[in-house]
Structure formats: C-alpha cells, structure tokens
Amino acid sequence: MIVADVARIVLGVVFAVSAATKLAGLRQWQANAAALGVSAVIAAPVPFVEALLGGLLVGGPWTPWPAVASAVLLLAFTVLLGVRLAQGVRPPCACFGAWSARPLGPGHLARNGGLLLLSMIAMWS
C-alpha cells in the first residue's frame, strides 16, 4: 500500500533526523533530557535506538515491526511530555537535539500525535 509505505519512510526520516541532531549536540541533548527528568542511563541509548528505527523504517525490513516499535517509543515520549506539562515543568523538549530549544507546550503533544498516526498507518505496509 503506497500510503503506508510513504508513512513508513517519512517516519523513518523523522527518527533519523532526530537521532542525528541529538548526536550532533550530544552534551545539550543530555542536559535537556536531564531537565526532563530522564536518567542518563535511559537517555544514553535513545539516539541510537532512533537511528536504528529510522534505518529499519526507511529500509523496510521486518515490516511492520519497526513501525510497532516506533509507536511504542513515541507513546513513551508522549506520556513523558504530557506528564511534565501537567506538572508545569517546561524545559526544552530535546526531541530534535539543539533544534528543540522551545519550552514544552501543547504543540509537542500534537506533533507526537501526528507521528503516532504515521506509525499506525506504517503498520499496514
């Protein structure tokens, strides 16, 4: 299905860009993750997991499992952002490394909702 393949590739590129920007500004990513309340042990592998998922989504092997894994990861990110917003904590989201300097807001949840939708569509490829 062409729509699912496009969703899978777009999602893969988003994950690849997210990983690359985190790795390019690794110290800033680590500081932003800490400000979100994420321990260094959990934050450390995130860019590598995103890079792996990005490659698997773009490349297409083992479909639909990379899309399922991306949905789980996005759901975890979204829950974290939602909890921090509900607590009134508004550091930069760190979602795209140094590109993510804006404080957390509802737009971050909306963006993640769109990415979750893409991952669900990608599961059908």
Side-chain angles (χ1 to χ4, degrees), residues 99-123:
W99 288 0
S100 300
R102 281 185 320 146
L104 285 181
H108 292 93
L109 296 177
R111 181 205 52 222
N112 279 16
L115 293 172
L116 274 164
L117 179 61
L118 277 179
S119 67
M120 288 184 239
I121 294 168
M123 288 181 205

Side-chain angles (χ1 to χ4, degrees), residues 26-39:
L26 191 57
R27 290 189 201 282
Q28 185 64 47
W29 150 246
Q30 292 166 336
N32 289 352
L36 277 170
V38 178
S39 77

Side-chain angles (χ1 to χ4, degrees), residues 13-28:
V13 169
V14 168
F15 270 108
V17 168
S18 179
T21 57
K22 284 178 178 119
L23 291 171
L26 191 57
R27 290 189 201 282
Q28 185 64 47

Side-chain angles (χ1 to χ4, degrees), residues 51-79:
L52 176 63
L53 279 175
L56 291 172
L57 285 161
V58 169
W62 304 308
T63 299
W65 300 113
V68 172
S70 71
V72 170
L73 188 59
L74 283 164
L75 186 59
F77 290 162
T78 305
V79 167

